[in-house]
Amino acid sequence: MGDFSKEDEDILRELCLCNGLHYEKIKTHAEARNSVRLLEMFFSGCPRLVGLNSFPCLETLILIGQPIDVIIGLDACVNLRELWICECKLKRIGGLEHCCSIEQLYLYSNCISQIENISHLRRLFKLWLNDNRIATIEGLVHLKKLRDLNLAQNRIREIGKSLSSQNSIEVLNLSGNPISSLQDLTNLADLHCLRNLSLQDPQFAPAPACLQCNYATHVLYHMPQLTHLDTFSVTSQALRELVEVTVVRKKFYYNIQTRLLQHRLNDQLSEKEKELNEVVTMLESRIRTLQCDAKQIELELNDESSPQSASTEGLSKNDCLTAKHSALTQRSNELEGKLKLLQEWYASVKECFDADADLARQMLLLELQTGGNVHCEVGKPTDVWYSSCCDLIQNGFCAADYLSVSVIGVRVTNVFKVHNRIMRTEFDSQLSAALEREDILTYTQGRSYKDLIEYFFMVRDSQAATADDVLQALENGGKHVDSKQDAVHLTNNLHAAEKKWLVQLTEQIKTSGRNTNLVLANRKGLAVVAKVFTGKTMPANNEMHMKRSNYPDADSVFSPISDAAVLDPSAESSTASVIGHDPGYALWFLFDYRMALPEYLVEYEYICQYPPLTPRQSVGMASPAEGINTADSLDDEDVLLLEPVFPPKPRLVVLTRDVLLRHCGVPSLESVRVLNLHNNGLTQLWQLDSMPELRKLVVSHNELSRVDGIANLDHLRHLVLSHNKLTTLEGLQNLGSLQHLDVSWNQLENIRGSLQVLRKHCTSVVSLDLRHNPWRKHANLRLHVLGRLKQLKTFDGQPVTESETASALRLLLSSRVSVAMLLSRSRTDQNELKSLDLCSTAEVTTRMSRNRPERLTDDDTTWWSKITTLNVDSQGLSKLSNLDQLVNLKWASFAHNYISKIEGLDACMQLLELSLEDNCVTKTDGLAHLTALVRLNLSCNTLMSLDGQLFSQFSHLQQLNIDRNRISSLEGLQHCASLFELCAASNRISNTRSVFCLKSLQNFTILDLYGNPVTETENYRLHMIFHLQTLRSLDGTVIEASDSNLAREIFGGRLTQDFVADRLGYSDFSQLSRADFSHMGIKQVDLGNTKCFQNLTSINLEHNDLTAFEGLTALSHLKILCLNYNHIESLFPGKSRQAAGGVKNSQLAPLSVAEAATPVLSQLQVLHLGYNGIMNMAQLQLWRLPALQSLFLQANEIVTVDGLDGMTSLRELVLDRNKIKCLGPNSFASQSNLVELHMEENRLRDLSHFDQLQSLSRLYLGMNKISVCMSVCTCRMSVCYSGSVHH
């Protein structure tokens, strides 16, 4: 041992004494020192570490409760494995450079403020730093073996991604830290080995996050591997299932709310589109007329055989034609410019609506991800705080600030009250602490603390004109302060609050050449209003940064708006902008972000110098109420009537050889080189193959929907097909010589299909015009065309430049899935990540996971099979390629691209989720091998139908989204036995019967048909609820118990065409002759248009709840009707009544005298009305059945036989088991043709009035009370007596 000072020697001597070691022996014998493995000292007052280098074999060192402030003297302790320096005065971690063998390090209850100097401790598996002053988790990246980490009772506010690399951590304690965000805790989901997590350990104070709603649910959902949470066991299976069910229900609710937002957005856009289309249609009609005449003039000018006559003004005909052509072209160009203005108007409106929807969507997502601890309440104008916020906005607005953008005012459109439990708790806590400070008490001088509370706007730091920074402010308040300024920026001036993003917006508008007034008129501003405790405040020093260290005695500082340029060098210095300012306008800088509580979000619109323009106004047209401006006449007569005026010519409706010969004025079609078929109303092209030498063909301004008939014209060089109704170019085949093609002003939608035709069959085209077609996904259309038709020299009337060609080539190279794209946008996670996002699994995984595939060498191919997730959204893809080796792909998203064909996925048989949203897909071919699919998104495409055979293979499919397609039937989906969610909004489904195929799906709970024609049918919602009884949500609205009850009340027991189709399994009733609907609880018959039942002759409705014939009387061909065991009272109701729930039926109206005498069911021959409880035969109105031959009324309550007047065709009458005592003189007055009569089991006492039945041959009277057998000789009949008949 070395020499020690007297003090150090005393410390070492005490250390030996505490551990039962003999100091002298330790001092003189090396063997004694080398045998020491453990040293410990508790609360002995040891000021520093002394003499530990003398114990080279030391493995465990424990020092508790010592005044040690620095770690030194451990250089020789290379075998040290366990180090305890706790409840001391350490201020930093150090002195462990040579202690690389340490496995357990305990430094709790010290004054350490930073985790440092331990990255070399690669064997460390336990680290306790609890009860220190650590504010940031850092310095742990290289500790790969760390399993137990205790950071409780520190000053850590945010976890972030600081632990994402510590995959081996099993035990983590963060109790007692000011961690308040549940979303922040989600970052711990990266710790796959984590089993024990504590945020409210009983030994420490709880973290604020533990006090939030849904804390345990949130943690257990994102970290299902946990066995203990806050010292409690969470391994119960019931608890796990409860968590899963809770989250599923929450996602279900927020998904519904999100869909409702999308529906509202679609409705808003639909209204604007209607407004737009009205004017667009008008303009296009005018342009068509103008260009039709202009094209006619062009053809006249190019016709060399046209005679050159002089006009009345001495000008040649060509000069007149040229002048008129110029005028027509100028007017047409003006109108096309107005069309462009309309497109700009609609783009601005859509951008505004999209921003509103995105804000609402982000609010919902924020509420979901924070467990409901941050949510926004929509205000009403009657709320006090609503009007207060309106006043605050108006007081903060200064017109001088907005002079450059012509804004003269603002109008509040929405106010949201922000409920942030996290920030509210922190604000209240800090406010309570501040009010107890002596300097605050002195500063207020007896005034109320409320005098120090103000409401300010939070300054938006982001230059992006989005809601992201607004939502961040609502969640975190001023926590995300500017890195240059250690303070929260606040102001009472509206322009100062939004200046950064407003300046950026105006610059973008100027760069794009858009109309500033038009954009701002349709743009809404957002202001976050915060409740602020300003505390001790003082004027700012313009020469100092806004940092607390520069203002140690102030809680906040302020500066007048005029000094803003000095405080913010990046701001524009403008003296003019502060002219007219209220001197009270100022910027405030708050040093404690917890003292600014976001309480309100105000949405407002700008009032421009000119009011927002309607489509008519934006193109200079008067509104219908104002009439039409003479200067802008809709018929353009001022140019159309210029000389010369072409007289109407006969149209060539159909092309025949003779017609073409006359039209061309030639003896033979083989020599024709130019053919002008302009403006002839043609719908088809014929006989053109007989013109092999044709060079130029003009078929503009016709009615063509296809271009069949011009294939194989080898010499055709110039083709004009503008102003037709073409939807495809498939007829343009084998036109190798074609150089100029004009298909503008048509109805072409599929750009890829059109380009494929041109690339294959029109390889020589150098001039192409595709303008004014309703292309689907027309972004970068020019570059897409130039990239695929490289020979083009002119496109859409503009020459092709070299820079455009280069850009098109780059775009083309990126239009397929490349290896580089796969490496950067794929992941290898085997399990689906837990997330509260509502987007696709592929998007969530690529955003949250860092497990990218690794390509070790250029020849390495193993990485392909490791890919499980692929997200290539918005990459400009037009074709799926390089996917044949992704055999383990589970989750893939190809959304927002230009894909028109599903291909290349045959090898991806493990695929569970596939998204092809917002593409150009027309068919579902290519999905046949993906039988494992669970979720499929085909929304926003151009699908016309669903392949039933294909979907019959998707037995595992649970969620299907086919929104915004052109589908008219859901047939085929009944085979998807696992389907529980179907989104088919904005399609063309018009028949409720097309949805019945879903009734067999036992798990089907969510259906969205919003925006389909079927939703406009009467009682649509209740009809769907009644027939699809497993549904829990319809069209984005939850189905309540009251909805189901009302649906059963209205539609329960209704015999409708839908009911019949459902029971029979088909909807073509034309061949239906017999029908049996007994025992089905039918209460009402409402078959609608009964023409489809023209062959129905027999119907059985026994054992139902019918009370009248209503609805059956329209079945004019019915011959047999069985209504036994019902409650029939009359042919029609005796008085006006309506069906339950307000369902209207015209047949329920009261009958007039004329109607009561009108015959019905003119062919009905047999009617069964037994067991109906009928008491009065006259009320049945049976006389209106003229052809009735057999009537069965057994087992009723009939007392008197009447109501048979006029029923001369009646042959058989059954009245058994009634209460008839006698017959009246007119009972059978009209039944002279009655052959058989049954009246057994009645109460007859005599046989009077039977003599009227002249044709009666069989009479059954058993079980009556007839005492005397009276003479019935006048009737040639057999009388049957049985039972209690008294003679």
Side-chain angles (χ1 to χ4, degrees):
M1 294 181 62
D3 295 332
F4 297 101
S5 65
K6 180 66 169 61
E7 183 180 359
D8 291 346
E9 186 174 353
D10 291 341
I11 295 174
L12 184 57
R13 188 184 298 276
E14 184 175 357
L15 178 62
C16 292
L17 180 62
C18 292
N19 288 275
L21 301 175
H22 194 280
Y23 173 71
E24 295 299 334
K25 187 176 181 180
I26 290 295
K27 183 177 180 181
T28 57
H29 294 80
E31 293 180 1
R33 294 194 298 272
N34 293 339
S35 64
V36 176
R37 299 288 187 272
L38 170 65
L39 290 176
E40 57 185 15
M41 182 181 292
F42 299 91
F43 308 105
S44 60
C46 176
R48 57 185 176 276
L49 301 178
V50 176
L52 295 178
N53 289 336
S54 303
F55 304 97
C57 297
L58 186 64
E59 295 181 356
T60 303
L61 176 61
I62 302 176
L63 299 172
I64 308 294
Q66 311 296 337
I68 299 172
D69 59 0
V70 64
I71 302 175
I72 57 174
L74 298 178
D75 296 349
C77 300
V78 293
N79 295 315
L80 192 63
R81 295 185 178 182
E82 188 173 343
L83 176 60
W84 296 63
I85 304 179
C86 310
E87 301 181 28
C88 298
K89 297 182 180 180
L90 290 180
K91 296 182 178 179
R92 61 187 302 270
I93 303 174
L96 304 176
E97 291 80 5
H98 301 281
C99 304
C100 297
S101 298
I102 290 181
E103 297 175 349
Q104 301 181 55
L105 181 58
Y106 302 88
L107 300 175
Y108 60 81
S109 298
N110 282 286
C111 303
I112 300 170
S113 60
Q114 186 176 0
I115 305 175
E116 57 184 341
N117 301 323
I118 60 172
S119 60
H120 61 289
L121 304 180
R122 304 300 171 86
R123 298 182 182 180
L124 190 66
F125 67 82
K126 181 177 286 190
L127 176 61
W128 283 22
L129 293 171
N130 48 294
D131 194 17
N132 278 284
R133 302 174 183 177
I134 298 170
T136 305
I137 303 176
E138 57 187 341
L140 305 177
V141 176
H142 301 290
L143 305 182
K144 300 300 182 182
K145 294 185 178 181
L146 189 62
R147 299 198 301 271
D148 189 339
L149 177 61
N150 191 336
L151 292 171
Q153 210 67 40
N154 276 283
R155 302 175 181 179
I156 300 168
R157 296 187 176 276
E158 184 176 357
I159 300 172
K161 293 295 182 181
S162 57
L163 294 173
S164 57
S165 61
Q166 309 306 123
N167 293 326
S168 58
I169 290 182
E170 299 176 2
V171 181
L172 177 61
N173 195 333
L174 293 171
S175 304
N177 283 285
I179 299 171
S180 57
S181 172
L182 293 184
Q183 282 185 274
D184 193 22
L185 296 181
T186 306
N187 292 305
L188 299 178
D190 295 335
L191 308 180
H192 303 298
C193 296
L194 186 63
R195 297 294 181 268
N196 191 327
L197 174 65
S198 294
L199 286 153
Q200 51 179 349
D201 190 319
Q203 301 180 35
F204 305 97
C210 305
L211 307 178
Q212 304 301 324
C213 295
N214 300 303
Y215 154 70
T217 301
H218 186 93
V219 172
L220 293 178
Y221 172 73
H222 287 91
M223 289 166 267
Q225 76 278 12
L226 289 180
T227 60
H228 289 80
L229 176 62
D230 300 330
T231 71
F232 293 99
S233 174
V234 290
T235 57
S236 168
Q237 185 62 28
L239 178 62
R240 300 287 182 179
E241 292 176 356
L242 177 61
V243 169
E244 287 294 328
V245 169
T246 302
V247 174
V248 167
R249 287 178 176 175
K250 286 183 177 294
K251 280 190 170 183
F252 170 75
Y253 170 78
Y254 287 101
N255 258 320
I256 288 177
Q257 297 303 311
T258 301
R259 294 196 66 79
L260 281 176
L261 287 175
Q262 186 63 44
H263 293 334
R264 281 198 287 268
L265 172 63
N266 292 341
D267 285 344
Q268 291 174 329
L269 290 176
S270 179
E271 289 298 321
K272 294 299 180 181
E273 285 176 359
K274 290 179 181 178
E275 187 178 354
L276 174 69
N277 290 337
E278 178 188 358
V279 180
V280 167
T281 303
M282 186 189 307
L283 288 177
E284 288 181 346
S285 176
R286 295 171 60 189
I287 292 172
R288 179 184 177 90
T289 303
L290 292 168
Q291 292 190 355
C292 181
D293 277 20
K295 191 66 179 179
Q296 181 67 33
I297 292 175
E298 287 181 19
L299 296 173
E300 289 286 337
L301 291 173
N302 293 333
D303 187 358
E304 297 178 357
S305 62
S306 177
Q308 297 294 321
S309 59
S311 68
T312 56
E313 298 179 359
L315 297 176
S316 68
K317 181 180 179 181
N318 279 359
D319 293 337
C320 293
L321 289 173
T322 302
K324 183 172 183 178
H325 183 273
S326 177
L328 291 169
T329 303
Q330 182 179 356
R331 177 63 60 83
S332 177
N333 291 339
E334 289 175 1
L335 296 182
E336 288 189 36
K338 292 179 179 181
L339 280 178
K340 186 176 180 180
L341 283 178
L342 284 173
Q343 294 171 356
E344 183 178 340
W345 172 85
Y346 181 74
S348 299
V349 170
K350 186 177 185 301
E351 190 176 358
C352 177
F353 287 164
D354 286 341
D356 289 347
D358 182 61
L359 174 63
R361 194 179 300 112
Q362 293 292 339
M363 284 182 176
L364 285 174
L365 191 60
L366 176 64
E367 183 177 335
L368 171 62
Q369 294 179 339
T370 59
N373 291 290
V374 180
H375 67 278
C376 298
E377 174 190 353
V378 181
K380 302 176 183 177
T382 55
D383 295 327
V384 176
W385 48 269
Y386 188 103
S387 56
S388 298
C389 288
C390 292
D391 294 340
L392 189 64
I393 291 291
Q394 296 299 334
N395 292 334
F397 176 80
C398 180
D401 294 327
Y402 296 87
L403 289 177
S404 60
V405 291
S406 302
V407 173
I408 59 175
V410 291
R411 183 186 299 110
V412 174
T413 57
N414 253 326
V415 179
F416 303 91
K417 189 172 186 178
V418 182
H419 298 275
N420 189 329
R421 294 189 183 96
I422 304 168
M423 294 296 298
R424 170 68 67 179
T425 301
E426 290 187 344
F427 178 83
D428 291 343
S429 176
Q430 289 300 113
L431 179 60
S432 299
L435 295 179
E436 295 177 0
R437 287 165 34 194
E438 293 185 3
D439 57 338
I440 291 295
L441 295 175
T442 304
Y443 185 74
T444 56
Q445 296 181 352
R447 294 176 298 162
S448 171
Y449 74 93
K450 294 182 179 180
D451 292 341
L452 302 181
I453 292 181
E454 300 285 351
Y455 281 90
F456 291 139
F457 304 121
M458 299 189 74
V459 176
R460 297 178 66 172
D461 292 328
S462 173
Q463 293 184 352
T466 64
D468 293 343
D469 56 320
V470 174
L471 270 296
Q472 189 177 5
L474 298 186
E475 181 183 6
N476 301 316
K479 190 182 296 186
H480 60 298
V481 296
D482 190 342
S483 59
K484 297 180 181 179
Q485 309 284 349
D486 186 19
V488 182
H489 293 201
L490 303 159
T491 182
N492 56 357
N493 178 259
L494 188 60
H495 182 263
E498 61 178 3
K499 182 175 181 180
K500 287 186 178 180
W501 81 265
L502 190 59
V503 169
Q504 180 72 13
L505 176 64
T506 52
E507 288 179 356
Q508 291 176 355
I509 294 172
K510 292 177 181 177
T511 303
S512 62
R514 300 167 67 186
N515 186 298
T516 303
N517 182 67
L518 185 61
V519 173
L520 286 177
N522 292 293
R523 172 74 64 164
K524 292 184 179 178
L526 296 171
V528 178
V529 178
K531 181 180 181 179
V532 181
F533 179 74
T534 57
K536 292 179 62 179
T537 185
M538 61 184 299
N541 186 336
N542 296 340
E543 297 179 357
M544 294 191 299
H545 287 294
M546 297 300 109
K547 295 181 179 293
R548 182 182 289 275
S549 57
N550 293 330
Y551 301 92
D553 297 328
D555 295 303
S556 62
V557 296
F558 64 90
S559 177
I561 292 294
S562 57
D563 296 331
V566 178
L567 294 174
D568 185 1
S570 63
E572 296 181 359
S573 179
S574 56
T575 306
S577 65
V578 299
I579 297 176
H581 266 150
D582 187 320
Y585 287 150
L587 288 174
W588 289 76
F589 303 90
L590 185 69
F591 297 122
D592 188 349
Y593 75 89
R594 292 169 294 183
M595 302 309 295
L597 174 66
E599 280 206 332
Y600 305 101
L601 175 63
V602 185
E603 186 181 65
Y604 53 91
E605 60 185 11
Y606 298 100
I607 302 175
C608 295
Q609 189 171 355
Y610 304 99
L613 303 176
T614 66
R616 280 179 166 270
Q617 293 170 339
S618 65
V619 297
M621 294 181 181
S623 65
E626 298 170 348
I628 299 175
N629 297 336
T630 56
D632 195 16
S633 177
L634 298 186
D635 55 13
D636 299 301
E637 292 182 355
D638 54 333
V639 292
L640 291 174
L641 296 180
L642 290 175
E643 292 292 339
V645 178
F646 297 104
K649 64 176 183 178
R651 290 192 166 194
L652 309 177
V653 181
V654 180
L655 294 182
T656 63
R657 186 177 183 84
D658 293 339
V659 169
L660 287 174
L661 288 172
R662 288 195 301 270
H663 179 72
C664 298
V666 294
S668 172
L669 295 178
E670 284 75 7
S671 60
V672 175
R673 295 194 172 194
V674 178
L675 178 60
N676 174 17
L677 297 175
H678 170 73
N679 194 24
N680 275 286
L682 296 172
T683 58
Q684 287 182 321
L685 296 177
W686 301 98
Q687 301 294 330
L688 297 185
D689 55 350
S690 59
M691 301 180 179
E693 297 298 322
L694 191 63
R695 301 288 196 274
K696 181 176 181 180
L697 175 61
V698 178
V699 205
S700 56
H701 290 84
N702 283 281
E703 304 294 327
L704 298 175
S705 59
R706 296 180 61 88
V707 285
D708 299 328
I710 61 174
N712 304 312
L713 294 178
D714 297 334
H715 299 286
L716 186 64
R717 296 179 182 176
H718 197 113
L719 178 59
V720 180
L721 291 164
S722 60
H723 288 285
N724 277 279
K725 298 178 180 180
L726 298 178
T727 58
T728 178
L729 298 181
E730 291 179 358
L732 299 178
Q733 298 182 10
N734 301 323
L735 301 178
S737 300
L738 188 64
Q739 297 180 356
H740 304 277
L741 176 62
D742 184 357
V743 288
S744 59
W745 296 96
N746 278 280
Q747 299 299 317
L748 298 171
E749 294 183 348
N750 188 349
I751 183 62
R752 183 182 178 187
S754 300
L755 293 179
Q756 285 178 339
V757 172
L758 297 178
R759 288 182 66 187
K760 184 177 181 179
H761 300 286
C762 306
T763 56
S764 301
V765 172
V766 294
S767 176
L768 177 64
D769 196 337
L770 298 177
R771 286 175 291 183
H772 301 291
N773 279 284
W775 299 112
R776 178 170 176 79
K777 297 181 71 67
H778 52 78
N780 295 321
L781 175 65
R782 186 175 179 86
L783 294 182
H784 276 289
V785 173
L786 297 181
R788 285 160 178 78
L789 303 178
K790 301 179 179 62
Q791 75 278 10
L792 284 182
K793 303 299 180 184
T794 304
F795 177 60
D796 286 350
Q798 300 293 327
V800 178
T801 64
E802 293 183 0
S803 60
E804 285 180 328
T805 303
S807 299
L809 181 60
R810 288 194 295 270
L811 183 63
L812 180 63
L813 293 175
S814 64
S815 65
R816 299 190 178 188
V817 182
S818 62
V819 173
M821 189 181 295
L822 285 173
L823 289 170
S824 62
R825 302 187 68 84
S826 64
R827 298 293 184 270
T828 59
D829 299 76
Q830 293 299 315
N831 298 315
E832 186 173 351
L833 300 183
K834 297 286 187 177
S835 171
L836 292 178
D837 276 316
L838 300 178
C839 52
S840 67
T841 303
E843 183 178 347
V844 170
T845 304
T846 50
R847 185 174 66 245
M848 295 178 58
S849 173
R850 298 184 298 172
N851 299 322
R852 291 185 173 89
E854 295 183 5
R855 187 183 187 186
L856 302 179
T857 63
D858 292 342
D859 298 330
D860 181 21
T861 58
T862 59
W863 63 275
W864 293 85
S865 60
K866 296 179 181 179
I867 293 177
T868 59
T869 306
L870 177 62
N871 178 23
V872 287
D873 293 351
S874 305
Q875 297 301 302
L877 300 178
S878 60
K879 186 175 182 179
L880 298 179
S881 58
N882 280 328
L883 305 175
D884 52 338
Q885 298 185 59
L886 304 184
V887 294
N888 290 315
L889 187 65
K890 294 182 180 180
W891 306 284
S893 181
F894 304 94
H896 311 297
N897 285 293
Y898 302 91
I899 300 166
S900 59
K901 184 179 181 181
I902 304 175
E903 56 189 344
L905 295 173
D906 292 351
C908 308
M909 300 178 66
Q910 304 298 320
L911 205 59
L912 301 176
E913 178 179 298
L914 174 63
S915 176
L916 286 162
E917 177 187 1
D918 192 21
N919 278 281
C920 305
V921 177
T922 57
K923 296 181 180 180
T924 53
D925 299 342
L927 297 175
H929 294 82
L930 309 182
T931 56
L933 274 176
V934 176
R935 294 181 289 273
L936 177 61
N937 189 343
L938 293 170
S939 60
C940 302
N941 281 281
T942 53
L943 295 174
M944 301 293 291
S945 62
L946 299 175
D947 187 342
Q949 184 177 0
L950 172 68
F951 279 90
S952 65
Q953 305 175 44
F954 295 156
S955 58
H956 303 289
L957 189 65
Q958 296 179 4
Q959 295 173 272
L960 175 62
N961 190 334
I962 50 175
D963 286 346
R964 302 180 70 183
N965 279 279
R966 301 172 184 180
I967 296 169
S968 58
S969 174
L970 300 177
E971 192 66 32
L973 296 183
Q974 66 270 24
H975 303 297
C976 303
S978 302
L979 189 68
F980 74 82
E981 179 177 353
L982 172 62
C983 300
S986 301
N987 276 280
R988 298 178 179 177
I989 300 170
S990 58
N991 193 338
T992 55
R993 217 168 294 155
S994 64
V995 187
F996 287 173
C997 61
L998 305 176
K999 294 185 68 171
S1000 61
L1001 304 178
Q1002 298 181 357
N1003 300 319
F1004 192 52
T1005 57
I1006 303 174
L1007 175 63
D1008 193 347
L1009 295 175
Y1010 192 92
N1012 282 277
V1014 69
T1015 61
E1016 299 175 4
T1017 59
E1018 186 179 5
N1019 292 293
Y1020 149 76
R1021 178 173 173 81
L1022 296 178
H1023 194 264
M1024 290 293 103
I1025 294 173
F1026 176 76
H1027 285 284
L1028 303 176
Q1029 297 185 4
T1030 59
L1031 282 185
R1032 295 294 175 267
S1033 170
L1034 178 62
D1035 298 346
T1037 304
V1038 176
I1039 297 175
E1040 305 291 348
S1042 57
D1043 296 329
S1044 300
N1045 294 336
L1046 184 57
R1048 282 193 295 270
E1049 183 180 349
I1050 293 178
F1051 291 101
R1054 288 187 71 195
L1055 181 61
T1056 63
Q1057 289 191 21
D1058 292 334
F1059 181 92
V1060 175
D1062 182 40
R1063 293 295 174 180
L1064 300 180
Y1066 56 86
S1067 57
D1068 182 8
F1069 310 131
S1070 59
Q1071 301 302 318
L1072 182 64
S1073 60
R1074 295 186 178 184
D1076 185 352
F1077 300 114
S1078 58
H1079 296 86
M1080 292 187 178
I1082 297 172
K1083 299 177 182 179
Q1084 181 183 348
V1085 178
D1086 186 8
L1087 293 173
N1089 185 359
T1090 57
K1091 290 182 179 180
C1092 55
F1093 295 99
Q1094 58 185 357
N1095 291 318
L1096 183 63
T1097 59
S1098 174
I1099 185 169
N1100 183 2
L1101 291 169
E1102 285 187 347
H1103 294 278
N1104 284 291
D1105 297 311
L1106 293 170
T1107 59
F1109 284 46
E1110 53 181 340
L1112 294 170
T1113 56
L1115 300 173
S1116 57
H1117 297 277
L1118 199 63
K1119 294 182 179 181
I1120 302 174
L1121 175 59
C1122 186
L1123 292 170
N1124 293 333
Y1125 296 98
N1126 279 276
H1127 307 288
I1128 300 296
E1129 301 171 355
S1130 174
L1131 192 65
F1132 289 98
K1135 57 182 180 179
S1136 176
R1137 61 186 180 88
Q1138 288 185 335
V1143 176
K1144 298 179 180 179
N1145 190 327
S1146 59
Q1147 297 175 356
L1148 298 179
L1151 297 173
S1152 64
V1153 175
E1155 289 174 332
T1158 303
V1160 294
L1161 296 174
S1162 58
Q1163 298 187 32
L1164 187 66
Q1165 298 177 3
V1166 180
L1167 175 61
H1168 292 266
L1169 288 174
Y1171 304 93
N1172 274 276
I1174 298 171
M1175 301 178 67
N1176 190 331
M1177 290 179 59
Q1179 290 184 2
L1180 292 175
Q1181 305 177 40
L1182 296 175
W1183 62 82
R1184 299 181 65 184
L1185 306 174
L1188 191 64
Q1189 296 181 11
S1190 299
L1191 175 61
F1192 296 84
L1193 289 167
Q1194 72 276 12
N1196 282 289
E1197 303 293 327
I1198 298 172
V1199 176
T1200 303
V1201 179
D1202 56 0
L1204 300 178
D1205 301 341
M1207 299 182 67
T1208 57
S1209 299
L1210 195 63
R1211 298 290 187 272
E1212 180 181 6
L1213 176 61
V1214 178
L1215 290 168
D1216 296 338
R1217 293 189 294 282
N1218 279 282
K1219 298 179 180 180
I1220 302 171
K1221 294 181 179 181
C1222 61
L1223 300 178
N1226 297 319
S1227 294
F1228 297 118
S1230 302
Q1231 279 65 55
S1232 58
N1233 294 319
L1234 190 67
V1235 175
E1236 185 172 340
L1237 176 61
H1238 294 252
M1239 296 189 67
E1240 294 183 330
E1241 297 186 44
N1242 278 279
R1243 300 176 183 180
L1244 289 174
R1245 295 182 179 275
D1246 56 55
L1247 298 179
S1248 56
H1249 304 299
F1250 278 87
D1251 53 351
Q1252 300 174 0
L1253 304 174
Q1254 300 298 321
S1255 301
L1256 191 66
S1257 61
R1258 290 182 294 277
L1259 175 62
Y1260 297 87
L1261 295 172
M1263 301 297 288
N1264 277 280
K1265 296 182 179 181
I1266 301 174
S1267 59
V1268 179
C1269 183
M1270 302 181 65
S1271 175
V1272 288
C1273 295
T1274 55
C1275 302
R1276 296 181 178 180
M1277 61 179 173
S1278 61
V1279 183
C1280 178
Y1281 298 99
S1282 62
S1284 58
V1285 177
H1286 305 281
H1287 299 279

